[in-house]
Amino acid sequence: MRPSVDEQLHGTCRILEEVVAPAVADPYARTILAGLIANLRMLHQAIPAVAAFLQHDNQACAKLLAELAPALPPPLAEAIVQALAHSEPEPTDSAALEQRNQALRELLAQAVCGEALAPDLQAKIKRHMIERASRMPMRYVPTAPTTS
Amino acid sequence: MNRSVDPPSPATCAPSGSATPAEQVAADLQRLMTHEIPSARDIRLQSLVRAAGGLSRENWSLDATWTDAAGAHKHQLMLMRDASGTLLNTERGREYAVLKALEGTDVPAPRVYWMDPQGQFLGAPSVVMERVSGSCDYMVLNSSRPLDERLALARGFIELMAAIHRVDWRARGLERSLGLPQHSPARTELAHWQAEYQRVRLEPHPELDLILSWLQQQAPVTETITLVHGDFKPGNALIEGQRISAKLDWETAHLGDPLEDLGWVTNPVRKREHQIPGHWERRQIVDAYQALTGRTVSERVLSWWNVLACWKLAVIQLTAVHEFVAGRYNRVFQTPTWLYRPMFQMMEAA
C-alpha cells in the first residue's frame, strides 16, 4: 500500500513543518504545533515497535508473576495462576496484546504492594521494571518553551 | 504578530458569537474590572496576547488604562486563567492569598490586583497581577551567559528560596488561607499526590505503586514548617539583566517542610535546570542553603524528598496524559518511564 503508513507520517510531519508552521503567528499555537510535530516524529519511529514490545513485556511479566506467586497471599497467587493459564494473544492483535498487558500489570501492581517480599524477589521486580522502562518504544519529546 | 484588541464600552462589551478568544477575554476582564472598581470608566485593554508558556493554565499579557475616583491608571498586567485541561489542579485563591501576603516582604513577586475565584466573569477561576519586567528561561543556569553570571543567578535562586522559607507565615495570615498540614508535612504532601495519582491513572503502574509504598514507609518527620513554593525552578522566575525580578507561579504554594523545595531543586533528573556541572551541584546547593538558613539538612531526609519530587513529577505527567485523552489538554505526554530508574537508584542509596 502506497503511500505506506511510514511515508504518510513522514510526509505529514514535513508538511506541518514546512507549510503550516511558518504561517502560524500566535506564540501559543506555535508552541503547541512544535510539540505535536515532535510527537508525530516520535510515533513514526515507535509504532513499528509497539506490538513487539507488548509481546515481550507480556512474556516477561508472566514469568516474573510465576516466580512471585508462591510468596504471595493465596487469593492473589490463585488469580495469577488463572491469568497465566490464558494463552498469549496473537502477535498481530494489538488490542488483545494491550489488554493482556494491562491485566498482567494489574496483578504485578498488587504483588509489589503486598507483604514484604524476600530481597531476591524485590531485586527481580526492580530489574524487570528497569528493563521494561528501557525498552518502552514511546517516549515524551520535550519541547518546553524557553520564554513566556 | 500579537493579537491586540480594544474591547467595546462596558455597555456593549459582550462580544458576538464570532469573537476571537482574545476579544472574549478582553470583554470578560473588563466586566471583572468594572465589578472590582465600580468607579472605573474609560477602561482600555490593549496588546492582549496569550503567552506561549504556562503548562497548567492560560497566561494572557495585556496593557490596561482606566480612570476612577483615585485618578488615571496605566498598568502592565498578566491574567492567569485556569485552562480547561491542566497539569496541575490548583486554586487561584491560593495564589492570590500568597501574593497578597508577600507584599512588603523581601521576596520579589508580582503585585496582585483582582481575582475571579469561581470564574463568574472570565469563565474559569482567574487572577490578575502586575506584569513584572524580565524574561523567563528554563535553562538559564546552562545558557550562553558567562559562568560568573550563571553562578550569581544560581546563588540568587537559593537566596530567594531561603527568603521564601523565612516568610513569617503566621504574622501574614497564611495559616488561615493555606491551612496547616493535617498530618506531618511529608505525609500530607504524599497523601495529596497519591489522591491525584489515583484520580488520573488510566492503566496499572506497578512501578509507581512500588515507589509509593516505599515513600509511605520512609516518610520523614518534619522539624519546621515554612511557606513552600512547591514548584521552585528557573522556569518560574523572571530575570532582568543579572537579577531575579520576580518569582512566579505561586498556585502550588503551601505550608510544609522547607526540604520539599530543596528536594525539588536537587532532584537529579532535573540537573540541567538547577545545576551547573562542576560548579553548582547538589553539594554546593545544600551547603549554600544550610549557610543561609542555619538548618542542618539530613541527606537521608533530602533523598526522600528527591524521590517524592520525581514521583510527583510522574503524577503530573500522568495528569497530562489523562487530560489529553479526555480532550482537554493540547500537549502530548507519555507515561514517565524515564523516571523509574533514578527513583529506584535513590531508594537503594537512601
Side-chain angles (χ1 to χ4, degrees), chain A residues 90-114:
Chain A
E90 289 296 317
T92 52
D93 189 344
S94 298
L97 285 170
E98 180 72 45
Q99 196 175 10
R100 173 75 166 161
N101 195 249
Q102 292 211 14
L104 294 175
R105 282 174 55 75
E106 182 59 51
L107 289 168
L108 183 58
Q110 292 177 43
V112 301
C113 291

Side-chain angles (χ1 to χ4, degrees), chain B residues 149-213:
Chain B
E149 272 187 31
R150 290 185 286 130
L151 276 171
L153 283 170
R155 279 190 286 270
F157 279 121
I158 207 71
E159 285 165 5
L160 174 55
M161 182 190 289
I164 293 168
H165 295 171
R166 273 198 308 272
V167 167
D168 187 346
W169 50 269
R170 287 185 184 87
R172 292 183 174 270
L174 283 171
E175 182 176 351
R176 191 171 55 253
S177 49
L178 299 182
L180 274 173
Q182 291 176 337
H183 313 287
S184 77
R187 290 197 181 280
T188 299
E189 196 62 14
L190 186 56
H192 169 79
W193 288 102
Q194 182 182 355
E196 183 69 1
Y197 169 57
Q198 284 162 351
R199 186 183 72 82
V200 301
R201 66 177 207 139
L202 297 175
E203 58 182 342
H205 298 288
E207 298 84 358
L208 295 178
D209 292 326
L210 176 60
I211 296 159
L212 172 63
S213 177

Side-chain angles (χ1 to χ4, degrees), chain A:
Chain A
M1 287 187 292
R2 305 293 292 272
S4 66
V5 172
D6 180 82
E7 287 165 336
Q8 290 182 56
L9 282 172
H10 183 75
T12 301
C13 289
R14 177 186 61 77
I15 294 163
L16 287 173
E17 280 179 331
E18 295 179 4
V19 180
V20 179
V24 176
D26 182 87
Y28 172 73
R30 219 166 39 225
T31 301
I32 294 295
L33 180 60
L36 294 178
I37 294 170
N39 195 67
L40 267 182
R41 289 215 177 280
M42 182 279 293
L43 281 178
H44 178 221
Q45 300 292 320
I47 284 174
V50 169
F53 168 82
L54 288 171
Q55 194 182 12
H56 180 278
D57 190 50
N58 287 345
Q59 289 167 357
C61 194
K63 182 168 178 280
L64 177 62
L65 286 168
E67 291 183 72
L68 296 177
L72 297 171
L76 181 54
E78 178 56 30
I80 289 172
V81 168
Q82 287 183 14
L84 298 186
H86 290 128
S87 57
E88 289 293 324
E90 289 296 317
T92 52
D93 189 344
S94 298
L97 285 170
E98 180 72 45
Q99 196 175 10
R100 173 75 166 161
N101 195 249
Q102 292 211 14
L104 294 175
R105 282 174 55 75
E106 182 59 51
L107 289 168
L108 183 58
Q110 292 177 43
V112 301
C113 291
E115 294 168 20
L117 295 165
D120 64 318
L121 292 178
Q122 290 182 28
K124 281 183 181 174
I125 290 169
K126 285 179 187 162
R127 269 202 304 277
H128 166 80
M129 291 175 167
I130 290 171
E131 154 75 3
R132 182 182 192 275
S134 70
R135 299 183 73 254
M136 180 66 76
M138 292 195 290
R139 292 171 188 279
Y140 169 60
V141 188
T143 54
T146 55
T147 58
S148 67

Side-chain angles (χ1 to χ4, degrees), chain B residues 95-132:
Chain B
E95 181 167 37
Y96 183 87
V98 174
L99 286 172
K100 276 288 179 199
L102 288 175
E103 287 179 9
T105 69
D106 56 356
V107 176
R111 180 182 171 196
V112 66
Y113 290 99
W114 313 294
M115 173 171 60
D116 182 9
Q118 307 300 328
Q120 177 188 352
F121 299 97
L122 283 143
S126 309
V127 289
V128 182
M129 63 188 71
E130 168 192 14
R131 186 170 82 240
V132 179

Side-chain angles (χ1 to χ4, degrees), chain B residues 162-336:
Chain B
I164 293 168
H165 295 171
R166 273 198 308 272
V167 167
D168 187 346
W169 50 269
R170 287 185 184 87
R172 292 183 174 270
L174 283 171
E175 182 176 351
R176 191 171 55 253
S177 49
L178 299 182
L180 274 173
Q182 291 176 337
H183 313 287
S184 77
R187 290 197 181 280
T188 299
E189 196 62 14
L190 186 56
H192 169 79
W193 288 102
Q194 182 182 355
E196 183 69 1
Y197 169 57
Q198 284 162 351
R199 186 183 72 82
V200 301
R201 66 177 207 139
L202 297 175
E203 58 182 342
H205 298 288
E207 298 84 358
L208 295 178
D209 292 326
L210 176 60
I211 296 159
L212 172 63
S213 177
W214 181 89
L215 285 166
Q216 287 169 329
Q217 289 165 19
Q218 305 291 327
V221 174
T222 294
E223 294 178 1
T224 185
I225 289 180
T226 69
L227 176 63
V228 173
H229 182 276
D231 190 12
F232 195 97
K233 59 186 179 185
N236 280 344
L238 292 175
I239 295 168
E240 187 173 42
Q242 296 176 38
R243 72 178 184 95
I244 301 164
S245 53
K247 190 68 185 154
L248 307 174
D249 297 324
W250 292 89
E251 70 269 28
T252 53
H254 56 277
L255 299 179
D257 190 321
L259 292 193
E260 182 182 341
D261 278 338
L262 194 64
W264 192 244
V265 305
T266 55
N267 175 358
V269 306
R270 300 183 79 162
K271 278 182 184 175
R272 288 184 60 232
E273 281 174 82
H274 296 289
Q275 301 186 21
I276 302 172
H279 299 278
W280 187 255
E281 298 184 339
R282 182 187 183 87
R283 187 70 265 150
Q284 286 87 358
I285 295 171
V286 173
D287 287 349
Y289 182 81
Q290 290 184 134
L292 286 162
T293 62
R295 294 192 184 100
T296 301
V297 175
S298 154
E299 187 58 33
R300 185 188 64 79
V301 174
L302 186 60
S303 292
W304 186 91
W305 285 104
N306 289 148
V307 177
L308 180 67
C310 285
W311 199 82
K312 173 177 160 181
L313 195 57
V315 174
I316 291 170
Q317 293 205 3
L318 291 183
T319 306
V321 172
H322 180 272
E323 294 299 290
F324 173 77
V325 171
R328 292 188 292 262
Y329 190 62
N330 297 330
R331 299 176 201 241
V332 193
F333 279 76
Q334 306 288 336
T335 296

